[in-house]
Amino acid sequence: MEHSGKIKKDAMILCDHVSKSFVNGNETAEVLKDITLSVEENEFVVILGPGQCGKTTLVNILAGLERASGGEVTVNGKKVTDPEPERGVVYQKTALFPWLTVEGNVGFGPKMAGVPKKERKERTKHYIELVGLSGFEKSYPIKLSGGMRQRVGIARAYCNNPSVLLMDEPFGHLDAQTRYLMQEEVERIWSQDKRTVIFVTNNIEEAVYLADRIVLLSNCPTTVRNEFKIDLQRPRDNMSSEFLRLREEIGRHVEMTR
Amino acid sequence: MKEKKLKYTLISVASIAAFLSVWYLVTDVFHIFPSSTFPSPVKVAQAFIRKLTVKTPDGGTLATHLAASLKVALYGYLLGIGIGVPLGILMGWFRKVDLIVKPIFDLVRPIPPVGWIPLMILWLGIGMRAKATVIFVSAVTPSIINAYTGIKQTNSVHIWVARTFGAKSLETLIKVGIPSALPMIFAGLKVSLGASWMALVAAEMLASTEGLGYMIQMNRMVGKADNIMVGMITIGLVGAMLTWILEKLENKLVKGGRTK
């Protein structure tokens, strides 16, 4: 089940020998080193990285917010140079706008895109419903729990109708119970409304639960170590023997990357 | 909840009552201080009522002085925040504006607003314009600093979000930068208001023919402490009231709490 090193040139997202280093005075910190990976349309790829190094940078490069120092990223054959609405991002900490209501946050993307008010309202309503927050349309983020805020974050990314969703450790700050719940939610939402997802996490169980394929990264400078195809049926049971076996096996590989 | 509110109100009322009682005791009851320089609260209240209609010894009733002061203060204040807030925002958002304005601002900022008074008298006389300019100087500085800092503190993830949704720089400033800086901007407006009000009284004491500061100064010359206190209390009350109005406006405009 290991697939390391196999790159399909016709994949939807292609990350081709991407590297990134930051220059700080005389020192050069290499953060990403020769990262090559591909993602198929509507595939759920989990990027599993143990360390604190480079994962957000990788997401930002995929989003077009940062430029790679070497290599390039293409989506549907087009080189990524700037952020674009077709790639939605869900961030680690609640990146909701505190001065906007749930409705205002979810509808922000379509508003920027100039979607007419009536259609915007319908879309906003649909995605608030999809993430299970009906009744909270007029609430401000400060009144919401951590899990609810991340639901808003997901709805906000979805509402702009992106073909690619980038999720940067979206549940990193949630308590364990809420985290399980949100994993189920993401799986449910994605099954109902499929998109190409790149989901970054440092949690092995989360990776096995969600991924079609796991890309295992090494720590600092970050590079691709291994890939694992996860063929378990969805929704997955994280107590089944097959699940536990995979989790243990990937866990062993993670140990080796440290 | 309601009981608690009542309790807090009672404590506030008791605090003011205690203050007045002590004042009353040291003046009218025990005569610790001479009443000509330290009048009792009763005397001050009487002076207050008298000052509503009587023009002597300072040439105006309380209302005319207050109106004169308010007019100058609002003039200078509105001009100060009208220029300060947008300038601070632009400095915080556009690096070029920052580079151009910051050096001058940093040099001018340490000069206390009252330090401008002599030059303003020389240039503009002792009328409305000189005082309004001094107040403008006091109001503009905190407005700039707070708007600038507020914009600088915009959460970078918020900016990323706006950019991934296709917002351009100016759009991001309007939809993200300014709303997230709004609590900070309002704090600046309040500091500016306090600074304006204080500078006003100082300016009126030095260069004026009317206004609350002038009224205080005139009554010092004729030794009427009760009228001085009437002027001081009026300044205090009106200052508190203006701040209260600004806070109400803030609660209406700043949505969703003050967390980043």
Side-chain angles (χ1 to χ4, degrees):
Chain A
M1 61 161 226
E2 284 182 36
H3 281 254
S4 68
K6 266 188 207 164
I7 303 302
K8 290 181 187 145
K9 286 286 178 193
D10 58 345
M12 182 187 191
I13 302 173
L14 193 62
C15 206
D16 196 6
H17 299 284
V18 166
S19 62
K20 177 80 180 178
S21 27
F22 292 98
V23 181
N24 190 0
N26 293 328
E27 284 173 48
T28 304
E30 193 176 26
V31 177
L32 302 177
K33 187 180 172 184
D34 198 26
I35 293 198
T36 295
L37 58 97
S38 61
V39 181
E40 300 293 328
E41 189 170 0
N42 289 347
E43 192 180 17
F44 200 122
V45 168
V46 172
I47 293 180
L48 180 62
Q52 293 296 322
C53 178
K55 284 177 291 179
T56 296
T57 307
L58 180 59
V59 170
N60 278 349
I61 290 174
L62 289 165
L65 288 162
E66 282 183 61
R67 294 284 181 87
S69 315
E72 63 172 24
V73 177
T74 52
V75 175
N76 288 324
K78 224 180 95 215
K79 194 177 167 184
V80 170
T81 51
D82 282 302
E84 257 172 80
E86 95 164 335
R87 293 185 303 278
V89 189
V90 180
Y91 290 95
Q92 184 175 20
K93 285 185 189 153
T94 51
L96 301 182
F97 301 124
W99 58 88
L100 294 179
T101 58
V102 167
E103 214 170 40
N105 269 287
V106 175
F108 186 85
K111 196 172 179 184
M112 287 292 108
V115 174
K117 196 170 177 186
K118 190 165 167 270
E119 195 196 327
R120 205 164 73 211
K121 266 225 127 97
E122 278 164 17
R123 250 156 81 178
T124 309
K125 189 170 174 285
H126 171 77
Y127 284 107
I128 290 174
E129 233 171 67
L130 182 70
V131 298
L133 282 180
S134 297
F136 291 94
E137 288 88 350
K138 305 282 178 208
S139 304
Y140 285 96
I142 198 171
K143 300 272 184 204
L144 305 178
S145 69
M148 286 159 93
R149 287 181 199 178
Q150 276 309 11
R151 284 168 201 257
V152 179
I154 293 166
R156 179 172 68 179
Y158 254 97
C159 195
N160 221 27
N161 220 359
S163 52
V164 178
L165 274 175
L166 304 167
M167 300 194 178
D168 184 15
E169 297 194 50
F171 310 141
H173 289 266
L174 302 180
D175 61 87
Q177 200 59 41
T178 314
R179 195 166 180 154
Y180 281 126
L181 204 71
M182 287 306 293
Q183 287 162 15
E184 287 170 24
E185 280 292 288
V186 160
E187 140 98 356
R188 178 183 67 77
I189 293 164
W190 178 75
S191 304
Q192 278 180 30
D193 192 346
K194 284 223 169 149
R195 301 295 155 100
T196 309
V197 178
I198 296 181
F199 186 107
V200 175
T201 184
N202 57 14
N203 184 312
I204 301 167
E205 190 176 2
E206 190 165 277
V208 178
Y209 187 82
L210 290 170
D212 289 330
R213 188 155 52 92
I214 296 175
V215 176
L216 178 62
L217 298 181
S218 69
N219 201 3
C220 256
T222 300
T223 187
V224 176
R225 265 296 152 81
N226 259 322
E227 288 194 16
F228 306 92
K229 195 132 182 83
I230 310 293
D231 276 329
L232 300 177
Q233 204 170 350
R234 293 175 188 271
R236 289 166 186 168
D237 173 6
N238 53 11
M239 281 312 196
S240 75
S241 58
E242 187 63 2
F243 189 99
L244 293 171
R245 193 189 63 72
L246 274 170
R247 186 182 145 175
E248 203 194 320
E249 184 187 334
I250 293 166
R252 272 202 307 276
H253 283 273
V254 171
E255 281 302 317
M256 291 190 306
T257 66
R258 282 179 203 277
Chain B
M1 207 54 201
K2 219 174 176 181
E3 266 174 35
K4 238 183 184 164
K5 212 171 173 185
L6 184 72
K7 199 172 133 194
Y8 288 140
T9 314
L10 279 178
I11 292 173
S12 303
V13 170
S15 144
I16 292 172
F19 174 77
L20 290 174
S21 310
V22 172
W23 183 4
Y24 184 66
L25 284 176
V26 298
T27 50
D28 268 3
V29 179
F30 297 115
H31 300 285
I32 297 173
F33 303 103
S35 71
S36 62
T37 54
F38 195 167
S40 74
V42 180
K43 270 200 157 161
V44 173
Q46 283 166 347
F48 190 91
I49 292 164
R50 197 170 56 237
K51 206 68 199 103
L52 290 176
T53 51
V54 176
K55 286 186 179 178
T56 50
D58 42 61
T61 61
L62 191 59
T64 56
H65 285 307
L66 177 59
S69 288
L70 270 178
K71 195 173 146 201
V72 180
L74 288 182
Y75 211 74
Y77 176 68
L78 292 179
L79 202 66
I81 63 171
I83 291 177
V85 172
L87 190 62
I89 289 172
L90 294 176
M91 281 166 71
W93 196 257
F94 298 105
R95 211 178 133 65
K96 271 188 192 145
V97 182
D98 193 9
L99 289 173
I100 295 167
V101 180
K102 197 81 186 302
I104 304 168
F105 180 61
D106 281 344
L107 282 176
V108 173
R109 194 171 67 167
I111 305 169
V114 188
W116 288 83
I117 293 176
L119 197 61
M120 288 307 136
I121 295 176
L122 215 57
W123 286 356
L124 303 166
I126 58 168
M128 159 101 160
R129 280 191 302 163
K131 281 175 287 175
T133 309
V134 172
I135 289 154
F136 166 79
V137 173
S138 352
V140 83
T141 312
S143 308
I144 291 178
I145 296 174
N146 275 53
Y148 177 81
T149 316
I151 291 285
K152 281 273 181 209
Q153 284 175 354
T154 308
N155 186 342
S156 53
V157 182
H158 284 160
I159 296 175
W160 295 349
V161 172
R163 287 186 57 207
T164 52
F165 284 142
K168 299 279 169 286
S169 178
L170 196 64
E171 237 176 336
T172 310
L173 171 63
I174 292 164
K175 296 285 181 194
V176 176
I178 293 175
S180 81
L182 211 54
M184 211 46 193
I185 291 174
F186 261 100
L189 294 185
K190 275 187 269 183
V191 178
S192 284
L193 185 69
S196 302
W197 199 233
M198 280 183 233
L200 169 83
V201 175
E204 281 177 346
M205 288 169 84
L206 293 171
S208 200
T209 53
E210 56 182 353
L212 293 169
Y214 174 76
M215 174 182 146
I216 290 174
Q217 188 68 355
M218 281 299 115
N219 280 286
R220 182 189 67 87
M221 287 178 187
V222 294
K224 285 199 66 81
D226 50 356
N227 280 346
I228 296 178
M229 285 191 178
V230 169
M232 288 170 68
I233 290 168
T234 310
I235 290 165
L237 282 176
V238 173
M241 218 170 68
L242 292 174
T243 309
W244 180 80
I245 292 171
L246 210 50
E247 268 166 12
K248 286 281 154 201
L249 191 68
E250 179 181 5
N251 289 339
K252 257 205 133 58
L253 288 178
V254 177
K255 309 265 194 207
R258 279 156 192 79
T259 50
K260 278 272 164 186

